[in-house]
Amino acid sequence: MEDFLQQLNDSQRDAVLYNEGPSLVIAGAGAGKTRVLTYKIAYLLKNGISPYNILALTFTNKAAREMKSRIAAIVDENIARRLWMGTFHSIFSGILRREAENFGFRPDFTIYDSQDSRNLIKAIIKEKGLDDKIYRPPAVQSRISLVKNTLITPEKYEKDRELIADDHFHKKERTHEIYSAYWNRCRTAGVMDFDDLLLYTCLLFKGKPEILERYRNQFRFILVDEYQDTNSVQHEIVRQLAADHHRICVVGDDAQSIYSFRGANIGNILNFRNVYPESKLFKLEQNYRSTQTIVDAANSLIEKNKEQIPKTIFSKNDAGEKIRILSAYSDYEEGYNVANRIAEMRMLHRYDYNDFVILYRTNAQSRIFEEALRKINIPYRIYGGLSFYQRKEVKDVIAYMRLIANPNDEEALKRVINYPTRGIGETTLAKIIGAAALQEVSLWEVLSNPLGYNLNISSGTAKKLETFQSLINRFIEINASQNACELGREIVRKTGLISELYADRTPEGLSCVQNVEELVNSLYEFVTSRLEEGRSDVKLGDFLAEISLLTDQDTDKNEQVSRVTMMTIHAAKGLEFKNVFVVGLEENLFPSELRRNNPKEIEEERRLFYVAITRAEKNVILSYAKNRFRNGQPQMCSPSRFIRDINPDYLHLPGSPAFESTNNRVSSHFPKETARTFHTNPQKFRQIKDEPDAKQTQTVGDLSVGNTIRHERFGRGKIVELTGESENAKASVVFESFGKKQLLLKFAKFEIIE
C-alpha cells in the first residue's frame, strides 16, 4: 500500500488518507485531481471497504473507465469491476430500474434521446394548435430541461409566479401546458428522458424514505468528480445519500466552472462547507502540466474574480516563455498570423502538428483558421464538432446556393424545398420524384410545370410549389445581374432561414445564427478579393467551386496522422497540449456580447479564459483582431478586457518584425494611428492624365511607391509597384502576413498610413 501512496505529494496524500468525514478537494488545473480520486478509492479498498459500499460519480463514461483501469492496476481487477462507479445518469438509471415499480414505471422503461424528446414536444405543440415559430421545439425543450434540473415538476411550474411571468413576457404563456402534456405522455409511454433519470431519482428518495435509507446504508463512502459542474438536482441527490454519515468527498476546481448554460451551479462547490460545516478543505496547488510563467499568468487572471475559493497554484517546472500576444488588423489576417506562427514554431522547435491547438469562443470562428491552414498545407481536425462547411445550417444555405447555380441539382432541391417549412411535405415530394423518374427529367422540370407532367396535387399545393419556384427564379435573376455577395444576403433573408434560426434563443440556436452570418462573411471576402484582383464578374458558381475543396477535406480518418486541433474552449476542458493558441480575444466576442453586462456571467467568461490558458504545457499565444467581419461588414474591435487582467510581467509584447509599430502593444490604452483613408472612386481615376508609357508609374492619385497602407483584410503592407491607368490602375503590395498581392485600386479598401 505504501508504494502507491509514495507517488503522491504531501497535499495529495493528506486528501487520500482522510476519510472520517466530509472533505472538499480543490484541485487547480494540472494538479492531479484524478490521481487523488483514484488513489483514495484504492486506499479504501485496500483497507477492507467493500466495493459495494463505495459510490463514485463522474461526468463522463471515459473518466469512469480510466479511473477503474487505474484502480485495477493497484487492487484486484475483480474488486475494481464491482465498484459502483460511473456517470450520474448511468448509476441512477440502474437504481431507477431496480425501483421502477415504486413510482409507477416498468423496469424496462426506455430512454428518449434529445431528438426523441424534441419530436414529442413538436407533436404536442402541433396538437395544441400553437405557432411553432413562437413555441420553437428546441427552445421549449431547453426550458423543460432547465426546470427539471432545478427540481421543478409540472405542478410546481404552474404555481411558480416567476416562471409564469417570464413566459408571459416572452409571449409563451402556454409553455407550462406543453411541459405538463410532455410529462404525462412520457409516463404513459413508459419512457424517460435524460433529465428524468436524475429528477425521478430525487423524487423517489424524497417520496420513499425507506428506499433512501437502504441506499444510504449501502453507500458508506461517496466521491464526486468535477463537483463544480453539478446542477441543483445532482447536488440534492448527493446530499440525500450523504445526509446521515457525511462520508462524502467532492473534488473540483471552482476556477473551471464553465457550464452554467447546461445548468451547472458554481454555488454547489462554493457553499459545500456551509452544507457540511465540519468538512475539511484540501488544496492541490502544484501544477504538473504547465510552465511557471503560464501558471503565474493564469493566477493573475483568475484572481480578478470575486466568487472563488482562494488558492495559489504553483509550478516547479521551468519558467518557460512569456505569453505572446498577436495583433492582427482583421480576422482574415488573424487566421494567417496563427497559421504562419504554427509553421514557424514547428520548424524551429520540431513540434508535431499534434502539439498545437487553436481554441475559440464560438464554432463560427473555425472557418477562417480552416482556410488559412489549408492554404499553407497544414493538416487539421475539428474536435468535438464538424468542419465549418459541414454544419447543418451552413449546408442548408449552401444547398440553396447550389440550387440557384444549378436548378437541376436534385439533392439540393430535396434539402430545401420544405426548409424552412412551407407546406410542401414528403408526399408531394415523392410525387415529384416519381413523375421526374417516369418522364426522365429533373425534379425542377416537374416542379416548374406540375400540370404538364400530370402531377396529382391539390390547387393549394400547386400554389406552394409555384411560390417556391418563383423564389428560386428570383434568386437566379439576382445571380445573373449582381455579385454573389448580394445574393448570399438575399438568400438568408428571403428564404426565412435566418428568422428560423433567430427564433431559437438556446445556445445551440445562437451558434447556428453565428455560423450562417460567418458564411455570409466568407462570401463577402471571396467576392472582395476577386474584385481587387481585377475579376469583376464574380458569380455564385465560383464560390461553390472554391468551397467544394473545403467540404471534402477530411476524408482521411487515420488518427495516426499528425494534425493541428481546433475546438471551442468548452470542448477543451480536461485536455492538454504543448502549444495553445487562444484566438478572437476581443470585446463582444470573448467575453461574449450576450454576457458582458452581467457580473456573474463575466466571471464565468473569465473562468473560461482561465481554462483555455491552463491547457498549455509549453507556450500560450493570445490573438485578437482590430477588425472583424460581421453580417458581411467590417466592425472595429477592442482587445478583450481579459488580456489586461493578466499581469504584464508574464506577457511578451513585441513589435512587428517587418514594421516598427504599436500593433502588438497591449495595455490599458490602445493607441490609434493617424491614417488617411484612400477613397476608391472610379471617377477620380478617370481624371488622371494618360501618359505615353503608363505601364509603370511612381504615383497614382494620392498613392506613391513606398507608401505603407493598411488593408481592410490583409493588414499592413508596402506599395512596391504601381501600374496602369484610370479604372485599370493596380498596386503591387507586400503585406506582412500574406506576401505580395496585386490590387485593382478601384475596388481596393485600405487606408494610407505613411
Side-chain angles (χ1 to χ4, degrees):
M1 183 188 301
E2 295 301 320
D3 289 343
F4 75 86
L5 291 179
Q6 293 305 313
Q7 299 176 34
L8 304 172
N9 64 34
D10 291 344
S11 299
Q12 292 171 334
R13 191 178 303 109
D14 290 343
V16 165
L17 294 176
Y18 179 76
N19 295 290
E20 286 72 48
S23 60
L24 171 61
V25 181
I26 294 297
K33 70 174 179 59
T34 303
R35 172 172 287 193
V36 166
L37 269 180
T38 302
Y39 283 25
K40 193 179 190 73
I41 295 170
Y43 178 79
L44 291 171
L45 294 171
K46 286 276 192 179
N47 277 275
I49 303 299
S50 168
Y52 178 78
N53 297 130
I54 299 173
L55 173 64
L57 298 168
T58 65
F59 271 82
T60 66
N61 289 311
K62 179 183 177 184
R65 286 194 302 268
E66 289 180 354
M67 288 175 62
K68 271 191 178 180
S69 176
R70 294 186 191 183
I71 293 167
I74 300 173
V75 303
D76 185 86
E77 186 173 349
N78 291 326
I79 295 176
R81 189 182 297 119
R82 291 188 285 122
L83 280 166
W84 280 68
M85 175 182 284
T87 65
F88 278 87
H89 292 90
S90 65
I91 293 292
F92 295 118
S93 65
I95 289 176
L96 288 178
R97 292 195 188 281
R98 289 178 178 83
E99 312 296 340
E101 294 178 358
N102 287 294
F103 58 97
F105 275 80
R106 290 170 53 89
D108 59 352
F109 65 81
T110 54
I111 300 173
Y112 272 175
D113 64 17
S114 180
Q115 191 58 53
D116 294 327
S117 299
R118 187 171 299 184
N119 289 342
L120 177 55
I121 290 169
K122 184 177 181 179
I124 292 170
I125 290 169
K126 184 176 182 180
E127 291 164 13
K128 289 184 174 294
L130 300 174
D131 186 348
D132 63 4
K133 298 294 190 296
I134 297 174
Y135 294 91
R136 297 258 316 146
V140 175
Q141 181 183 31
S142 179
R143 179 71 158 182
I144 291 173
S145 177
L146 179 65
V147 297
K148 282 185 177 182
N149 286 325
T150 51
L151 297 166
I152 296 175
T153 61
E155 292 77 15
K156 286 185 178 180
Y157 195 115
E158 292 181 26
K159 297 175 184 178
D160 192 308
R161 293 182 179 179
E162 187 175 335
L163 287 173
I164 297 299
D166 186 66
D167 287 342
H168 275 273
F169 178 78
H170 290 98
K171 298 181 180 179
K172 299 179 181 179
E173 56 274 0
R174 296 182 65 183
T175 300
H176 69 281
E177 293 181 32
I178 302 172
Y179 181 21
S180 181
Y182 175 75
W183 178 279
N184 293 332
R185 292 272 282 274
C186 285
R187 288 192 66 92
T188 301
V191 302
M192 295 188 194
D193 62 24
F194 286 117
D195 299 318
D196 287 332
L197 296 175
L198 302 182
L199 179 56
Y200 273 114
T201 298
C202 194
L203 295 176
L204 172 67
F205 288 164
K206 185 177 181 181
K208 301 285 184 178
E210 68 280 10
I211 294 176
L212 174 59
E213 186 67 19
R214 184 166 11 111
Y215 286 102
R216 277 180 181 168
N217 291 334
Q218 176 182 341
F219 299 133
R220 294 169 50 197
F221 294 89
I222 300 172
L223 304 96
V224 187
D225 192 15
E226 304 285 9
Y227 200 67
Q228 77 281 349
D229 293 336
T230 55
N231 58 32
S232 297
V233 67
Q234 290 164 330
H235 170 76
E236 179 60 17
I237 291 171
V238 171
R239 190 198 64 78
Q240 289 172 320
L241 289 171
D244 286 348
H245 56 68
H246 283 199
R247 284 189 293 271
I248 176 175
C249 173
V250 302
V251 179
D253 183 5
D254 54 292
Q256 296 186 66
S257 178
I258 59 174
Y259 295 121
S260 67
F261 66 93
R262 296 180 186 168
N265 182 0
I266 190 176
N268 293 343
I269 195 167
L270 295 178
N271 298 324
F272 182 85
R273 286 178 292 170
N274 295 330
V275 178
Y276 304 96
E278 77 278 27
S279 63
K280 285 200 171 186
L281 174 65
F282 298 91
K283 296 182 181 181
L284 308 184
E285 297 178 302
Q286 182 174 353
N287 179 300
Y288 289 91
R289 174 187 303 154
S290 308
T291 65
Q292 293 180 41
T293 298
I294 292 172
V295 169
D296 290 341
N299 286 341
S300 71
L301 167 76
I302 204 64
E303 71 182 11
K304 308 299 189 298
N305 274 10
K306 294 180 179 179
E307 280 196 322
Q308 64 171 296
I309 297 171
K311 52 190 172 295
T312 303
I313 309 301
F314 66 93
S315 172
K316 292 183 179 180
N317 296 334
D318 293 340
E321 297 288 332
K322 290 187 176 183
I323 291 177
R324 290 182 175 271
I325 308 292
L326 295 183
S327 171
Y329 184 67
S330 69
D331 51 351
Y332 190 71
E333 185 183 43
E334 181 187 33
Y336 283 84
N337 281 351
V338 169
N340 289 331
R341 184 56 62 95
I342 289 173
E344 177 186 346
M345 291 173 67
R346 183 171 180 268
M347 180 181 67
L348 292 176
H349 304 289
R350 300 187 180 279
Y351 288 121
D352 286 334
Y353 287 126
N354 286 335
D355 295 330
F356 296 92
V357 67
I358 300 172
L359 300 179
Y360 34 75
R361 180 65 180 82
T362 68
N363 274 310
Q365 291 170 255
S366 75
R367 193 265 307 176
I368 285 173
F369 297 97
E370 287 184 66
E371 295 183 6
L373 292 172
R374 283 182 59 82
K375 286 286 174 64
I376 58 174
N377 297 316
I378 293 179
Y380 67 88
R381 61 172 164 258
I382 306 291
Y383 181 96
L386 295 169
S387 174
F388 178 80
Y389 290 103
Q390 292 295 322
R391 292 169 185 148
K392 178 191 178 298
E393 60 279 6
V394 174
K395 292 182 76 172
D396 287 335
V397 180
I398 290 173
Y400 273 103
M401 294 178 178
R402 285 169 48 193
L403 187 61
I404 294 159
N406 174 19
N408 294 321
D409 187 328
E410 180 174 323
E411 291 305 314
L413 187 144
K414 288 192 291 188
R415 186 179 185 105
V416 303
I417 191 170
N418 200 39
Y419 184 76
T421 305
R422 50 177 62 91
I424 305 173
E426 291 296 324
T427 301
T428 301
L429 181 57
K431 290 178 179 179
I432 295 172
I433 293 172
L438 182 64
Q439 300 295 328
E440 297 184 345
V441 296
S442 70
L443 304 189
W444 180 256
E445 286 288 336
V446 176
L447 185 148
S448 301
N449 186 15
L451 295 179
Y453 287 98
N454 299 315
L455 207 60
N456 183 21
I457 55 175
S458 66
S459 59
T461 300
K463 182 64 177 175
K464 293 171 184 174
L465 293 178
E466 181 184 349
T467 301
F468 175 69
Q469 183 210 13
S470 298
L471 176 70
I472 301 302
N473 280 333
R474 174 59 184 145
F475 290 148
I476 292 172
E477 291 173 4
I478 295 174
N479 189 38
S481 60
Q482 299 183 37
N483 68 45
C485 186
E486 296 301 321
L487 176 59
R489 293 194 183 108
E490 285 293 296
I491 290 172
V492 298
R493 285 203 310 262
K494 298 296 186 182
T495 60
L497 272 169
I498 201 69
S499 300
E500 177 93 354
L501 296 173
Y502 262 122
D504 182 358
R505 304 307 293 174
T506 65
E508 294 81 7
L510 293 175
S511 177
C512 291
V513 171
Q514 292 168 340
N515 289 336
V516 170
E517 291 175 346
E518 184 62 22
L519 178 62
V520 175
N521 292 344
S522 70
L523 191 53
Y524 175 86
E525 290 176 2
F526 179 84
V527 171
T528 302
S529 64
R530 274 142 187 80
L531 288 175
E532 290 183 337
E533 292 168 5
R535 297 163 60 180
S536 59
D537 189 26
V538 186
K539 296 303 180 189
L540 198 57
D542 302 322
F543 177 70
L544 293 172
E546 175 89 359
I547 64 172
S548 67
L549 299 174
L550 297 172
T551 56
D552 294 329
Q553 66 95 24
D554 261 333
T555 55
D556 183 5
K557 300 300 181 184
N558 182 2
E559 289 305 313
Q560 300 303 313
V561 175
S562 181
R563 303 171 188 267
V564 173
T565 301
M566 294 197 293
M567 66 177 84
T568 64
I569 304 170
H570 283 103
K573 188 169 175 289
L575 303 177
E576 58 185 42
F577 297 86
K578 287 184 179 177
N579 306 297
V580 171
F581 287 78
V582 189
V583 300
L585 275 164
E586 300 133 33
E587 289 294 308
N588 299 330
L589 182 56
F590 195 11
S592 167
E593 184 176 19
L594 301 175
R595 315 196 86 185
R596 61 182 179 179
N597 295 322
N598 185 316
K600 287 183 177 292
E601 292 182 344
I602 283 293
E603 291 211 347
E604 179 162 332
E605 292 284 288
R606 189 178 285 111
R607 292 195 294 270
L608 189 61
F609 186 34
Y610 175 85
V611 167
I613 291 174
T614 55
R615 297 312 91 201
E617 298 174 15
K618 297 293 185 183
N619 294 288
V620 175
I621 298 93
L622 309 179
S623 173
Y624 70 93
K626 296 182 180 180
N627 269 293
R628 186 167 294 275
F629 281 85
R630 292 185 175 177
N631 298 316
Q633 297 294 330
Q635 294 182 6
M636 295 298 294
C637 305
S638 299
S640 171
R641 68 189 75 183
F642 296 151
I643 298 177
R644 296 194 293 272
D645 284 343
I646 299 174
N647 186 326
D649 291 344
Y650 308 122
L651 299 177
H652 183 63
L653 309 167
S656 163
F659 296 86
E660 289 294 329
S661 72
T662 58
N663 274 6
N664 294 318
R665 193 169 298 156
V666 181
S667 64
S668 57
H669 300 286
F670 296 84
K672 297 179 180 178
E673 297 184 31
T674 304
R676 291 175 290 134
T677 300
F678 189 81
H679 301 283
T680 56
N681 184 340
Q683 182 63 34
K684 178 176 182 178
F685 288 102
R686 279 193 288 270
Q687 293 173 354
I688 299 174
K689 298 289 186 181
D690 290 340
E691 298 179 12
D693 183 8
K695 288 186 177 181
Q696 183 170 334
T697 64
Q698 289 299 306
T699 62
V700 174
D702 294 339
L703 281 180
S704 300
V705 172
N707 278 155
T708 299
I709 66 168
R710 176 174 285 145
H711 189 272
E712 188 179 75
R713 288 174 299 117
F714 303 138
R716 292 173 62 97
K718 285 187 176 180
I719 296 175
V720 296
E721 187 179 25
L722 292 168
T723 59
E725 304 166 344
S726 189
E727 293 188 349
N728 295 318
K730 297 178 181 179
S732 292
V733 186
V734 176
F735 290 100
E736 292 182 34
S737 301
F738 299 94
K740 189 174 181 180
K741 286 188 173 292
Q742 189 173 72
L743 307 179
L744 185 63
L745 292 178
K746 73 173 181 178
F747 289 117
K749 296 182 178 180
F750 59 86
E751 56 189 16
I752 302 172
I753 303 300
E754 57 186 36

